[in-house]
């Protein structure tokens, strides 16, 4: 299956979840507790205050709302491939009208950099006849290239004991192995919820932090 069809499936699925519920976590097909725990773990990437942040697959801006609740002030930009998500994000956070964009960095890189780039479960939906791993690794490489300090991305784990047939589960060992090919400064956490992990990649050696 080519990426165009995968992208179409993704947009169709999440356009429907957005229509079915106004709740932010439901709109991105996550439970409320899992969504919060992912945000909390992503925040361990570094000190976000006064940093330039790019949120890849931002949905309706949930991570921005989380940062605001934590009284963390950033120069935030959110991008998503789904125009309906971006429209909803702009309505929910009118103060960021010019900071939410429809954009796909897999298809076209952005000609700018950010201090931190994060993504919360961007490609956890299972696509018929395709593996998500290659696409997600391409996304991680693009994020890493555009980051000045580092990136964090969450993924559903193949170590789960409660698999959902609509969810793609990543082999954490395979993801780590392929990440080490281009980034040696890696942290990894599989402890915050049983079916998930977060990958952290930094530009500087971890001894420098």
């Amino acid at each position: 299956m080519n990426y165009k069809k995968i992208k179409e499936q993704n947009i169709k699925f999440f356009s429907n979840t957005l229509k079915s519920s106004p709740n932010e976590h439901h709109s991105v097909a996550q439970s409320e507790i899992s969504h919060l725990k992912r945000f909390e773990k992503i925040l361990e990437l570094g000190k976000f205050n006064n940093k330039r942040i790019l949120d890849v697959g931002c949905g309706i801006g949930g991570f921005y709302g989380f940062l605001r609740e934590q009284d963390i002030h950033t120069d935030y930009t959110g991008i998503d491939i789904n125009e309906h998500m971006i429209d909803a994000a702009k309505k929910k956070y009118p103060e960021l009208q010019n900071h939410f964009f429809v954009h796909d960095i897999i298809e076209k890189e952005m000609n700018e950099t950010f201090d931190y780039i994060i993504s919360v479960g961007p490609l956890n939906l299972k696509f018929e006849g395709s593996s998500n791993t290659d696409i997600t690794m391409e996304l991680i490489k693009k994020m890493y290239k555009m980051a000045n300090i580092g990136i964090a991305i969450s993924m559903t784990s193949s170590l789960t004991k409660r698999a959902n047939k609509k969810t793609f589960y990543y082999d954490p060992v395979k993801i780590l192995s392929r990440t080490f090919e281009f980034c040696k400064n890696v942290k990894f956490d599989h402890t915050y919820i049983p079916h998930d992990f977060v990958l952290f990649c930094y530009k500087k050696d971890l001894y420098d932090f």
Side-chain angles (χ1 to χ4, degrees):
M1 179 179 289
N2 61 36
Y3 180 62
K4 181 180 179 181
K5 290 184 178 179
I6 289 172
K7 186 173 177 178
E8 288 173 352
Q9 280 189 23
N10 188 293
I11 291 172
K12 181 179 180 180
F13 179 86
F14 286 105
S15 293
N16 287 334
T17 59
L18 179 62
K19 287 179 182 178
S20 68
S21 174
N23 293 327
E24 200 274 333
H25 60 280
H26 284 154
S27 71
V28 290
Q30 297 182 21
S31 71
E32 186 173 7
I33 185 64
S34 294
H35 205 41
L36 177 60
K37 285 184 176 292
R38 288 180 176 111
F39 285 169
E40 290 173 342
K41 185 55 60 175
I42 290 283
L43 203 58
E44 294 180 15
L45 176 62
K47 297 179 180 179
F48 279 62
N49 247 323
N50 302 314
K51 293 295 192 297
R52 193 162 191 237
I53 310 299
L54 177 65
D55 184 357
V56 178
C58 65
I60 63 174
F63 189 69
Y64 169 73
F66 172 76
L67 290 172
R68 196 168 66 172
E69 288 173 0
Q70 303 299 312
D71 198 30
I72 297 173
H73 304 280
T74 67
D75 180 1
Y76 172 95
T77 297
I79 60 172
D80 203 288
I81 62 172
N82 192 320
E83 64 178 333
H84 302 296
M85 290 287 186
I86 292 299
D87 288 343
K90 288 181 177 181
K91 290 177 182 177
K92 188 169 184 177
Y93 302 108
E95 70 273 21
L96 287 186
Q97 280 284 322
N98 298 322
H99 287 258
F100 286 110
F101 303 95
V102 177
H103 191 84
D104 185 345
I105 63 171
I106 291 177
E107 292 184 335
K108 184 178 180 180
E109 293 181 21
M110 298 172 71
N111 295 320
E112 52 187 318
T113 61
F114 300 82
D115 295 315
Y116 293 121
I117 301 180
I118 68 100
S119 191
V120 183
L123 287 161
N124 288 343
L125 179 65
K126 188 174 184 178
F127 303 109
E128 294 299 325
S130 178
S131 170
N132 296 32
T133 301
D134 288 343
I135 302 167
T136 298
M137 288 310 307
E138 184 65 22
L139 177 65
I140 291 170
K141 289 177 184 178
K142 295 287 180 67
M143 290 169 60
Y144 185 69
K145 182 179 180 180
M146 294 165 52
N148 296 322
I149 301 175
I151 71 167
I153 180 170
S154 73
M155 285 170 264
T156 38
S157 171
S158 61
L159 299 180
T160 183
K161 296 179 180 179
R162 299 179 182 179
N164 184 312
K165 64 180 181 180
K166 292 183 179 180
T167 301
F168 182 87
Y169 295 96
Y170 295 87
D171 181 341
V173 175
K174 185 179 291 186
I175 294 295
L176 276 171
S177 177
R178 292 184 62 173
T179 300
F180 277 124
E181 293 174 4
F182 60 89
C183 177
K184 306 301 182 185
N185 308 313
V186 173
K187 291 197 301 183
F188 173 85
D189 198 312
H190 200 304
T191 63
Y192 56 103
I193 43 178
H195 58 277
D196 220 68
F197 64 89
V198 168
L199 178 75
F200 303 90
C201 304
Y202 297 89
K203 289 294 180 72
K204 290 184 179 180
D205 194 292
L206 295 175
Y207 286 116
D208 297 332
F209 285 86

